Amino acid sequence: MTTPITPRPLAGHAIHLLGLGCMGMSEFYGPSDEAESLATLRAARELGVQHFDTADTYGLGHNEELLGRFLRALAPAERAGLVVATKFGIVRTKGTYERRIDNSPAYIRAACEASLQRLGVERIGLYYCHRRDPQVPLAEVVGAMADLVRAGKVAALGFSEISADSLRQAHAQHPVAAVQSEYSLWERGAEAAVLPAARELGVAFVAYSPLGRAVLTDRPPEEQSLAEDDFRRALPRLQGAAGAANLQLRERLAARAAELGQPVAALALAWLLQRQPHVLPIPGTRRQAHLRQNLAACALQLPDALLAELDALFAPGAVQGARYPDAGFAGVETR
């Protein structure tokens, strides 16, 4: 059954239901093909996608530069309809996953200038604090970000992996356009506090990894030969007994998708879109074929019985193992 696509609000724009996470085009998921990545970016825009998500830490600047090449090839009118989101706060050394968090006002200003240069834009559509440093008062972080808005360098502010309490405090000081957290059938922790807080405040909730690091697709990681530098090798949810149990859950989802004649990804995303009307998923892909599978979700209307079945199959706590290794939790607020 199909349903009309209704845009959802983000940073002052009415945009397509699905955005595009660009991280994997530069890092974390093994080697990528720049030509195919650029072709995927172009295809996404042609298919109606308006929300493109990156960060300064993805490929240590490479991802912003890649997105900048895509943006520069567009006419001004074409760029005007897009929401380009990037982030600051995670500082890494090339070749390592470990990171430190920097939320100092001086760093925020410098990071913004560097992102503007790499993206080739005069103003960032949505600028996130990627992770929080608890040693820097939240009011100082929001103040420095608000200064960027007043200076015309940033259009709207966001926070990633922030707690519900911090979101309320930040929003009281300056409007927060979006909060970004991992959310999917595979990871439902946001339902406890952050998701309801965002809905109450009228803040868009941007769901990253809505396909569970590709587990909720037609080609889950166990069926791929993961590159040595693919960070999924370190994810507890894909290791040992936990990984085996989690992939069994995925098989049951795949069986239901096959019955419907739909890609696994489309079913997983359709569940999210119907369950959470204020959520904007940003499934990441670097291939046009996968992009089209994801977009198929927007035309699906799942029966209530199937939604309830998926709710129960992936009930909070059903997926085993932590969603990150220890290093990945740096700067993540959980309260």
Side-chain angles (χ1 to χ4, degrees):
M1 182 177 178
T2 60
T3 185
I5 297 174
T6 303
R8 295 184 179 179
L10 177 68
H13 293 255
I15 65 168
H16 193 285
L17 300 181
L18 292 188
L20 179 60
C22 302
M23 180 182 79
M25 295 177 177
S26 297
E27 197 178 10
F28 297 116
Y29 292 97
S32 59
D33 180 333
E34 281 200 4
E36 176 64 14
S37 292
L38 287 167
T40 300
L41 289 167
R42 290 191 293 268
R45 194 196 67 79
E46 290 166 2
L47 290 167
V49 174
Q50 299 158 272
H51 178 195
F52 295 85
D53 184 89
T54 183
D56 59 1
T57 193
Y58 300 160
L60 303 181
H62 174 270
N63 202 241
E64 289 182 325
E65 291 170 354
L66 182 71
L67 191 54
R69 288 165 59 190
F70 158 68
L71 294 172
R72 281 189 288 274
L74 300 177
E78 294 172 327
R79 290 196 299 272
L82 305 182
V83 176
V84 176
T86 192
K87 315 176 192 76
F88 71 86
I90 294 179
V91 183
R92 298 168 42 241
T93 301
K94 186 176 182 179
T96 68
Y97 181 72
E98 287 69 25
R99 67 281 306 276
R100 68 179 178 85
I101 310 302
D102 194 335
N103 285 178
S104 64
Y107 179 80
I108 294 171
R109 291 190 294 270
C112 180
E113 291 294 341
S115 290
L116 287 166
Q117 289 296 316
R118 286 189 291 263
L119 290 167
V121 298
E122 294 183 356
R123 184 169 67 167
I124 295 167
L126 176 56
Y127 199 42
Y128 288 98
C129 175
H130 204 166
R131 294 292 188 270
R132 279 282 294 120
D133 177 0
Q135 302 304 312
V136 180
L138 181 59
E140 289 188 18
V141 179
V142 177
M145 296 172 72
D147 286 344
L148 297 174
V149 174
R150 285 188 284 271
K153 298 179 183 295
V154 169
L157 305 183
F159 284 85
S160 178
E161 294 289 3
I162 197 173
S163 71
D165 288 346
S166 293
L167 174 60
R168 292 180 191 281
Q169 293 174 36
H171 192 65
Q173 182 176 345
H174 186 281
V176 175
V179 60
Q180 183 173 140
S181 293
E182 184 176 356
Y183 183 53
S184 66
L185 281 167
W186 175 256
E187 172 49 55
R188 297 179 63 178
E191 292 176 357
V194 177
L195 197 57
R199 182 167 52 245
E200 175 192 332
L201 296 170
V203 174
F205 185 100
V206 175
Y208 76 81
S209 295
L211 296 175
R213 310 295 182 183
V215 171
L216 308 181
T217 70
D218 287 347
R219 296 187 66 222
E222 72 161 1
E223 297 177 7
Q224 303 172 11
S225 177
L226 296 181
E228 289 298 323
D229 60 349
D230 191 315
F231 96 114
R232 289 175 294 181
R233 287 178 174 271
L235 294 182
R237 290 187 173 180
L238 293 176
Q239 296 178 345
N246 294 336
L247 288 171
Q248 287 180 4
L249 291 177
R250 180 264 169 204
E251 289 304 311
R252 294 172 64 182
L253 176 69
R256 297 298 278 120
E259 291 171 7
L260 295 172
Q262 295 291 336
V264 177
L267 183 56
L269 290 169
W271 169 86
L272 194 159
L273 289 170
Q274 285 180 239
R275 276 295 186 233
Q276 305 293 348
H278 74 299
V279 168
L280 291 161
I282 49 168
T285 185
R286 50 197 178 186
R287 296 180 177 87
Q288 297 174 70
H290 295 167
L291 170 71
R292 289 179 169 83
Q293 288 182 343
N294 296 343
L295 289 170
C298 300
L300 290 180
Q301 183 70 30
L302 305 182
D304 289 343
L306 179 53
L307 290 172
E309 179 184 337
L310 297 180
D311 281 337
L313 178 60
F314 288 91
V319 174
Q320 299 179 26
R323 62 189 178 102
Y324 282 120
D326 289 345
F329 285 105
V332 172
E333 292 189 338
T334 58
R335 65 185 185 277

